Amino acid sequence: MSADYEAVFARYDTDGDGRLTAHEVTSAIAGMFPAAEVNDLSGIVKALFDQYDVDQDGLLSVTEFVPLAQNLPELGS
């Protein structure tokens, strides 16, 4: 696993527990868009968790985050 992705993950993991919550992912995605463009990200975040939360625990581990960041380069930068 790339140290770059781990560093990005750590930046988004604001509580430092080693897992990303839906709130942390929402904040990360919201940070990529001007506030005027962001209305409701809940559908997008749900779709991302449906696809990348492999163990379906409602959280993204770093190993679940890497494929997401690879497929959404804006998130991985």
Side-chain angles (χ1 to χ4, degrees):
M1 184 174 333
S2 167
D4 292 337
Y5 288 122
E6 290 180 20
V8 171
F9 179 90
R11 185 175 62 216
Y12 295 142
D13 182 18
T14 57
D15 63 5
D17 69 353
R19 301 173 298 176
L20 296 180
T21 64
H23 176 75
E24 289 168 325
V25 172
T26 300
S27 295
I29 293 171
M32 296 185 318
F33 301 99
E37 293 182 18
V38 178
N39 291 324
D40 181 11
L41 295 173
S42 61
I44 294 169
V45 172
K46 181 184 179 327
L48 292 174
F49 272 77
D50 286 348
Q51 183 170 354
Y52 295 101
D53 182 16
V54 177
D55 62 8
Q56 298 179 342
D57 65 354
L59 303 164
L60 293 181
S61 67
V62 69
T63 56
E64 292 169 326
F65 173 78
V66 169
L68 169 58
Q70 290 172 332
N71 288 322
L72 188 63
E74 299 85 358
L75 193 61
S77 59

